[in-house]
Every structure is written in structure tokens, then in C-alpha cells.
Amino acid sequence: MTGATATPGLAFAGPSTRRGLRCCLPRPYVAAMHSVDPTTESMIRSVLAYAENRLRLDPVPLDKGPKDPAELEAALRGLLGPGPHNPDQVLGVYTSVMAPAVISADSPRFLGFIPAAPTKAALLFDMLISCASIQGISWLEAAGAISAENQVLRLIADAAGMPPAAGGCFVSGGSAGNLSALVVAREVAKRKAGSSGLGRRWRVAVSEDAHSSIVNALRICEMDSLLVPAPDHRLTGAGLRAAIGADGHPSSIAAVVATSGTTNAGIIDDLAGVAAVAREYRLWFHVDGAYGGAGLFAPSIRACYDGIEHADSFIVDPHKWLFAPFDCAALLYRDPSIAKSVHKQDASYLDVIHDTPGEWNPTDYAYHLTRRARGLPLWFSLAVYGVTAYTEAIETAIALARQAAVEIKARDHLELIREPELGVVLFRRRGWTSAQYTRWADQLLTDQVAFIPPSAWEGETVARFAFLHPQTPMELVREILDRMA
């Protein structure tokens, strides 16, 4: 069996090798399979060699980051045109020009935004998933992959204390998860209101610290926000009840969004209090745990998540604090049948995927249709390393944040803004201007010490550690702080 070539000059995987089954086939069958053409063979070897070298990096270097746009344009000029190029030439452009212009988010020196720290097992399996070209929308096409993804979703749901019927799917990220959940919340509110809700502009109660994707999702869904005051940047049940009580049109509120780990400060909202008010007013209760939801697996802070078990929908991004590759977000519903009634796509060519007994079609639980089996790398990594290793890695980041807070308080010229709850530490350098923070951060990146861009807190430029990688050393933290003297 040869690798099929459907179009002259294009090499495609053959009908068996594309599923990555060569290692599992009987020997006579394997022996009958011919090699691909020499150019493709060479390309496979080169790309796999690069991937192997990248996977062997320990630790991963930070790399330099942005380059002059003109330099990048010149390096890429002419590569996309009518004729082919030698694969090694193209790969060479990537390795010498493009890759060094990308800051490695999986480096233990990447301490800005919310970083990533995918395990080697997860990265390797992500390559396998890509090679297999799994269309992960339906049980008909990908029952094996979906059953494994559902194992992981069940693990997360159990950690959150959600009921046995809870379920959902993996989507591309927190933004996609929040949008999909809020679409369901809106439709549930419309159904409850019936004809009395026709033409109503629905609203969602949020705090000002809700993630920007929530604001964007509301705009897309043509909903407005009821901004709930949170003086300590923590949404509380008392604050929510007061805001609804003072509102002139509470019947237009469809949902409330709480956050289990704000992106900028790592704050966990009063989930139990918010859940109680949501039940009282029959509001859809959504919890955005894109970053901090992984803390459910850390015994030292598990009590901070009490109340999450009442969520109607909940998201967590494994590509953040559950050590999976980009792009991977787990979206869970308390009652997935409700989400299915909203998101299921009906078309003549899709009827067949809904005829399978015991079906679980990920396409039914979010706004997507086509999707890769993005939960499988996490499944493989969890199976290889065990959940206890994940717990220890998360606890390591929490401990690192607490140690960093102690180091900050020990320096008279620095000030800790608030005690860290998760892995985020906000602090200021007394007397510094915004420009000084920027110069400090730029020099750290230039010297390949760390990527730690400034943030803002209550209108003021401040510094911010975002600890996630369990191999970030305290010696690095001290060096970064010493450079603020």
C-alpha cells in the first residue's frame, strides 16, 4: 500500500498510515506497505528530528521574542508561490528566523500573562493526534477518542463535585467555553420567560474583574452586563443580592458569572454565596475557571472552591494549569442535555451521527462543529504520570507564589499588593513610574532572564508574577526582584 498522492506534488498519508496504525498492524501487512517518496521521507526525518530536539530541551529557553517586521518579511519572502521549495530550506527558515522570534510560553522563565507548562507526554501525544487527523465531532467518527476525553471530563467534574450526569466537551479555549455556556444561559432564560420575554434584552451579572472574554461573549450574544460592585475585587453573594435588589429590572437577568481564579490577581469569588443567590433568583450560574479552576486538584486550597458544585456550567483550561498543550479548554454542564438542545446542529448530512446508540457527540455541547480531539493529550499525560503528580505540580506553583510574597515583603523598596490565593503575585516597586517598569521588563527579556511584562492594578502600573511552571526556581525569583533595587 503506498502513500496516496491525490494531487501532483502533494504528499498525503495513505489510508492506513494516516491513523498512525503502522505499529499495531500485523507484520505481513506492515511489510507490504511501501515507503513514501524520497522527498517526503526526508521531510519526515527532518521535522521529527527538530521535534525530538525541542522535546529534549530541559529547561526550555525563553527565546528573544519580537523581531523587526521587515526582517521577518524578508526571510519569508518568496516562500509562498507557484513552485515548491525544499522542505529542509523551509524548515531552516522556521528554525533560524521564526522560532527565535517566538517567546516560549512553556519556559520556566515565562512568568507573564498566564504561561503554559505542557508535559512531555502531552506534547508527544499531541503530535500523534495531529498525525492521526481525528475528526472529533461525533461518536460515529471518533468513539475511541471521545470515550477517553470523557474520562478526563468526568475526572474534572468529580473534582468540582458536579453530579454524575454532568458532561460536556473540549473546546479551543476559555473564550470559546464562556461563549458556548452563555449562549445556553440566554436560551434557558428565553424559554423560562416564554412569550413574556419576547424582545427582551437579557443581562448577566458580573464583577468588574470578570475576564475580557465574558464581556466579549455578552456583546456577541447581544446581552448586557449588570455590574456588581466588588470593593475587594471578589464577587460575593451579599454583593450580588444587593445589586439585584437595587436593580429596576431583575427579571431581565439571565445568569451570573463567577470566577475561580481571576487572571490578573488569582482571586476566587465567593462561589457558595453566589450560588445561593443564583438559586434564589433562578439564574444560570456559570463559573469561569479558565486559569484557576485547576486548583480544585490542590488539597491546600480546595475549600476555596466550595459552591462550585452548584454551577450550571464550568470551564477550566488544561493548557494553563493542567499542563496540556495549546489549545484545550474543558467545558462542563450540570445537565448537558440542556446544552445539547441549544447547540445541536441539524442538517441532512449530520443526521447519521445522531443515529448511534449511546452517542456522545462533542459538537452538541458548544458552538463548534469541526474539532480536533484536543482532550486526548491531557488524557495520555494523566494516565502516564497519575493525578497525584498533577496535584504536586499545582501545589508547587502555589508554594512558589507564597515564597515570592515573603521575598517581596522582606525588601523595603517593594510592596506586596495582596496575599496570593493561587499562583499570581501582584507587587509594586515604590516610587517607580510606568516607564521604569517597562524598562525593567524589557531588560529582563533582552538578557533572557525572564518574561514578566508589567500589569495594572486599580489604574496603577505594577509588577506581576504568574507562577505555573513547577520547575521555576526561587533563585530566579530572587534575581528578578534584585533587579528592582
Side-chain angles (χ1 to χ4, degrees), residues 182-200:
L182 289 174
V183 168
V184 177
R186 182 193 62 189
E187 295 306 301
V188 167
K190 288 164 63 175
R191 292 172 186 176
K192 287 179 180 177
S195 60
S196 65
L198 293 176
R200 180 180 297 174

Side-chain angles (χ1 to χ4, degrees), residues 254 292 396 404 430 481:
T396 296
R430 300 181 196 274
L481 297 177

Side-chain angles (χ1 to χ4, degrees), residues 243-323:
I244 295 175
D247 186 71
H249 304 283
S251 62
S252 66
I253 304 172
V256 56
V257 176
T259 306
S260 60
T262 58
T263 303
N264 198 36
I267 299 168
I268 302 172
D269 287 338
D270 170 24
L271 302 179
V274 173
V277 178
R279 290 196 304 273
E280 180 182 337
Y281 285 91
R282 299 180 66 217
L283 304 177
W284 184 275
F285 177 35
H286 175 64
V287 177
D288 177 4
Y291 152 55
L296 286 165
F297 292 94
S300 68
I301 58 170
R302 178 57 183 85
C304 298
Y305 296 84
D306 288 351
I308 198 171
E309 65 274 12
H310 300 297
D312 293 295
S313 54
F314 164 59
I315 68 160
V316 58
D317 285 1
H319 66 231
K320 294 186 172 79
W321 216 4
L322 284 175
F323 314 112

Side-chain angles (χ1 to χ4, degrees), residues 156-463:
I156 297 170
D158 287 344
M162 298 180 81
C169 63
F170 285 95
V171 295
S172 61
S175 297
N178 286 329
L179 175 59
S180 296
L182 289 174
V183 168
V184 177
R186 182 193 62 189
E187 295 306 301
V188 167
K190 288 164 63 175
R191 292 172 186 176
K192 287 179 180 177
S195 60
S196 65
L198 293 176
R200 180 180 297 174
R201 181 87 175 190
W202 294 99
R203 295 183 296 160
V204 175
V206 299
S207 77
E208 61 181 8
D209 289 275
H211 192 264
S212 58
S213 66
I214 298 294
V215 177
N216 192 46
L218 295 183
R219 182 169 60 250
I220 293 171
C221 294
E222 295 190 327
M223 294 195 289
D224 298 318
S225 62
L226 170 64
L227 196 61
V228 180
D232 191 40
H233 299 270
R234 184 172 185 253
L235 178 64
T236 65
L240 176 61
R241 181 175 282 106
I244 295 175
D247 186 71
H249 304 283
S251 62
S252 66
I253 304 172
V256 56
V257 176
T259 306
S260 60
T262 58
T263 303
N264 198 36
I267 299 168
I268 302 172
D269 287 338
D270 170 24
L271 302 179
V274 173
V277 178
R279 290 196 304 273
E280 180 182 337
Y281 285 91
R282 299 180 66 217
L283 304 177
W284 184 275
F285 177 35
H286 175 64
V287 177
D288 177 4
Y291 152 55
L296 286 165
F297 292 94
S300 68
I301 58 170
R302 178 57 183 85
C304 298
Y305 296 84
D306 288 351
I308 198 171
E309 65 274 12
H310 300 297
D312 293 295
S313 54
F314 164 59
I315 68 160
V316 58
D317 285 1
H319 66 231
K320 294 186 172 79
W321 216 4
L322 284 175
F323 314 112
F326 298 118
D327 49 1
C328 178
L331 166 60
L332 284 160
Y333 298 97
R334 184 177 193 82
D335 183 351
S337 68
I338 298 174
K340 183 176 181 179
S341 71
V342 173
H343 285 298
K344 178 184 173 184
Q345 297 190 34
D346 293 310
S348 57
Y349 52 86
L350 294 177
D351 289 346
V352 65
I353 73 173
H354 297 294
D355 294 336
T356 307
E359 69 179 35
W360 189 273
N361 300 324
T363 187
D364 292 338
Y365 303 101
Y367 68 80
H368 56 206
L369 186 59
T370 299
R371 64 177 289 275
R372 68 195 304 264
R374 51 175 49 90
L376 285 187
L378 175 60
W379 168 82
F380 183 75
S381 185
L382 283 165
V384 168
Y385 299 120
V387 178
T388 298
Y390 275 71
T391 290
E392 292 171 352
I394 294 168
E395 292 281 17
T396 296
I398 294 170
L400 190 59
R402 292 171 179 170
Q403 293 172 41
V406 172
E407 289 286 338
I408 291 165
K409 289 187 285 188
R411 290 164 164 78
D412 291 338
H413 58 286
L414 301 180
E415 179 185 355
L416 183 69
I417 292 174
R418 61 185 298 136
E419 291 291 339
E421 290 183 55
L422 300 176
V424 175
V425 183
L426 288 173
F427 63 103
R428 60 172 60 90
R429 172 41 165 103
R430 300 181 196 274
W432 266 16
T433 64
S434 179
Q436 287 173 298
Y437 281 105
T438 299
R439 285 197 297 271
W440 164 75
D442 288 348
Q443 194 61 52
L444 285 170
L445 180 58
T446 298
D447 295 343
Q448 291 288 278
V449 173
F451 177 67
I452 178 171
S455 187
W457 182 254
E458 297 181 346
E460 172 193 4
T461 301
V462 297

